[in-house]
Amino acid sequence: MPSESILGIVHQNKIYCPPKVYHVIMYGWALLGCPETAQTYFDKISTLTSPSPNSAGSRSGVNQTTWGILMYAYVCARDVRGALHVLNRAKAWIQDKSISRSARAVIDESDSDGHKTNHLINMAMAVLIERKDPTGALTLLDDYIDKYSNPQRAPDTAQTVQELPATSADPITLNLILRALLLNNQVQHAVTIYDTIHSEFRLLEKPDALRPLLRYYVQRNDLDGVFLLTKRMFNLGGIPTLKELFYMVRLSVYERNPALILYLYDKMGTSTTLDTDSKFIYFLKRKPDMVPLVYWALMENGREADALDIESAIVKTVPRTHGDLQVLQPSTPTQRKAAAAREAHGRCITLYRDLLREIDAFPLVELRRKLRYNVRFVFELYRDLEPHNPLIVQLLDDGKQQKKWLRSWRNDPDGCQLVTHNSPAMADPAERNK
């Protein structure tokens, strides 16, 4: 390796090489996932002494940065045992430094110049979480957590440090705590811990700290939890990322509840980005397959004007005067075809949701499963039709008639039972097989 050759020349000429040089080389080996080689350079640093008695005397070159890089090497190699071994060695090193010194003095020193031992705990927790051991990560934090990290609790100045100076108030540590609890499906406990730590340590809450909880709720299809956290994020001055918006819009449509989409549109429809588009329009331009879903949500709530605003913003349009009204139309055949496809898609989605909603209110519960199956089968059967196929219009009209037919039986369950009683064509296949 070229760096080793250069170091050999430096040593031959008896030139002092500061620990920072070894740190850079150690970090390179850490990125390659070679903890054994990183340990070799760690050993070399431990034998270094400063040539100037005024700067460091005969003190070893090992510091918290050296321990952090060595730990990172084991993390990159996903070696849990090695990472925990480094953590125990670092603890012994901290205790050796803190002999006859107060706990607060060591903690203050660890906070100086941006160096903290908290990152050692963080990396050990991260590798445990990566190996799907959240309980081990939380237990590790409990074992090493600093009892003096809370500024509201002054430590005994005569007491020495017995743990690594780590605190759950560190943003990265808090994020790892949430990840571990969520991996254990302890979402309510995670929210309680999040609020407790922010309150106890008087931390300034930031929108990014809510993202692990938001991702968990999205993955669990918990629309209510997503809605609450989204409101909380907006109140803190943050906005969802494009990826989060994508999954939230899909979840809202999946749950047949457009309230979240409308909230996002109202919150982000007026704020602008550098290209003068609203942030929500910018999202739709980046994710054009979301346009029909948003269009459906707006039309479902009678917001035709907003739906047309989306159409005019996404598709480049030119004004054409028609009587006293100004009609916006796509300017090219390709754009007109795309607009027609989105409109047909939006109408199909609306009809599909309407039919499922009517089936949920159908008086005969035992037939609902079969009716849902029929609706899904028909939509799957014709899903590959071209947007300009005239059959789509006919199918949509037939679907509207079927929706009226389903609604007509709401107030006549007895008549519905009489018409469908013992009808093999309408019976559930599962019932016929019994």
Side-chain angles (χ1 to χ4, degrees):
M1 193 173 178
S3 60
E4 295 174 346
S5 301
I6 295 173
L7 283 176
I9 296 173
V10 170
H11 291 156
Q12 288 177 5
N13 291 275
K14 298 181 179 181
I15 300 174
Y16 172 71
C17 189
K20 288 184 178 179
V21 176
Y22 289 97
H23 287 163
V24 173
I25 300 174
M26 273 186 68
Y27 184 69
W29 284 110
L31 291 177
L32 293 174
C34 300
E36 295 83 6
T37 309
Q39 178 65 58
T40 301
Y41 282 95
F42 181 92
D43 296 337
K44 291 181 180 180
I45 294 175
S46 64
T47 62
L48 292 178
T49 56
S50 174
S52 173
N54 295 329
S55 60
S58 59
R59 192 169 54 188
S60 169
V62 173
N63 56 26
Q64 294 178 22
T65 301
T66 317
W67 285 109
I69 298 174
L70 182 61
M71 171 73 81
Y72 187 60
Y74 284 97
V75 171
C76 290
R78 298 187 177 183
D79 186 345
V80 176
R81 182 177 298 178
L84 295 179
H85 181 61
V86 172
L87 190 63
N88 289 327
R89 290 169 57 194
K91 176 184 178 181
W93 179 78
I94 289 287
Q95 291 175 342
D96 182 63
K97 283 187 62 177
S98 62
I99 293 176
S100 303
R101 301 180 65 192
S102 68
R104 177 58 61 190
V106 175
I107 293 171
D108 291 342
E109 181 183 86
S110 69
D111 289 339
S112 63
D113 300 327
H115 296 301
K116 295 184 178 182
T117 54
N118 211 85
H119 67 285
L120 298 176
I121 307 289
N122 292 340
M123 286 190 283
M125 289 180 65
V127 73
L128 286 167
I129 293 173
E130 184 72 19
R131 288 305 186 107
K132 307 299 182 184
D133 186 9
T135 303
L138 295 172
T139 303
L140 178 71
L141 182 63
D142 289 338
D143 291 340
Y144 283 92
I145 195 68
D146 174 35
K147 295 182 175 62
Y148 316 110
S149 59
N150 190 337
Q152 298 180 18
R153 283 180 253 166
D156 183 359
T157 56
Q159 190 173 2
T160 58
V161 173
Q162 298 299 321
E163 293 85 12
L164 290 174
T167 170
S168 57
D170 180 78
I172 298 177
T173 308
L174 177 57
N175 183 277
L176 290 168
I177 293 172
L178 296 181
R179 284 177 56 191
L181 290 172
L182 295 178
L183 194 58
N184 262 346
N185 294 320
Q186 297 176 275
V187 60
Q188 293 301 327
H189 189 38
V191 174
T192 302
I193 289 291
Y194 176 87
D195 292 334
T196 301
I197 290 178
H198 277 81
S199 174
E200 182 177 356
F201 290 91
R202 300 177 182 176
L203 297 180
L204 179 63
E205 188 176 7
K206 297 181 180 180
D208 288 344
L210 294 170
R211 297 196 189 280
L213 295 170
L214 182 61
R215 284 194 296 269
Y216 179 88
Y217 281 121
V218 170
Q219 291 171 359
R220 296 301 186 275
N221 294 332
D222 188 341
L223 187 60
D224 293 335
V226 171
F227 209 154
L228 289 175
L229 281 179
T230 303
K231 289 181 177 179
R232 189 166 176 176
M233 184 178 291
F234 275 111
N235 291 336
L236 294 173
I239 60 172
T241 63
L242 291 180
K243 187 175 182 179
E244 290 167 347
L245 281 172
F246 174 78
Y247 286 113
M248 285 192 286
V249 170
R250 286 209 318 178
L251 176 61
S252 184
V253 174
Y254 176 78
E255 295 292 335
R256 288 182 285 167
N257 187 347
L260 178 58
I261 296 179
L262 299 178
Y263 178 79
L264 292 171
Y265 180 82
D266 291 336
K267 281 291 185 180
M268 303 177 64
T270 56
S271 57
T272 59
T273 57
L274 294 178
D275 58 359
T276 70
D277 281 331
S278 73
K279 292 181 179 178
F280 201 81
I281 295 299
Y282 175 75
F283 157 69
L284 293 178
K285 285 185 175 181
R286 293 290 300 273
K287 302 287 185 181
D289 53 335
M290 293 289 102
V291 174
L293 307 183
V294 177
Y295 186 89
W296 160 79
L298 293 171
M299 295 297 289
E300 280 284 292
N301 287 268
R303 298 176 59 169
E304 292 84 357
D306 291 331
L308 291 176
D309 287 342
I310 288 180
E311 287 290 329
S312 61
I314 300 301
V315 182
K316 297 297 182 181
T317 58
V318 293
R320 178 176 65 85
T321 303
H322 181 74
D324 295 331
L325 300 176
Q326 188 182 57
V327 182
L328 296 177
Q329 291 189 341
S331 58
T332 66
T334 302
Q335 292 171 353
R336 286 194 290 271
K337 183 177 180 180
R342 283 195 295 271
E343 182 180 1
H345 192 184
R347 293 175 62 191
C348 290
I349 290 177
T350 301
L351 177 61
Y352 179 74
R353 300 301 181 189
D354 287 345
L355 287 171
L356 292 181
R357 193 176 293 111
E358 294 297 336
I359 291 172
D360 289 341
F362 195 72
L364 298 184
V365 177
E366 62 272 15
L367 293 182
R368 292 177 183 175
R369 180 182 173 188
K370 175 61 178 176
L371 291 172
R372 293 192 193 97
Y373 172 81
N374 290 344
V375 170
R376 286 194 295 268
F377 176 78
V378 172
F379 275 84
E380 288 288 338
L381 185 63
Y382 295 104
R383 66 179 302 173
D384 295 327
L385 288 179
E386 292 294 328
H388 296 285
N389 194 316
L391 184 59
I392 291 181
V393 178
Q394 179 182 344
L395 291 172
L396 288 172
D397 291 339
D398 291 343
K400 291 178 181 178
Q401 295 300 322
Q402 296 297 326
K403 184 175 71 172
K404 292 180 180 178
W405 180 84
L406 288 169
R407 182 171 295 181
S408 66
W409 293 109
R410 283 189 180 183
N411 299 324
D412 191 10
D414 295 335
C416 183
Q417 178 70 42
L418 181 64
V419 171
T420 60
H421 183 63
N422 293 329
S423 174
M426 294 292 290
D428 193 321
E431 295 293 333
R432 294 203 306 267
N433 294 332
K434 287 184 178 180

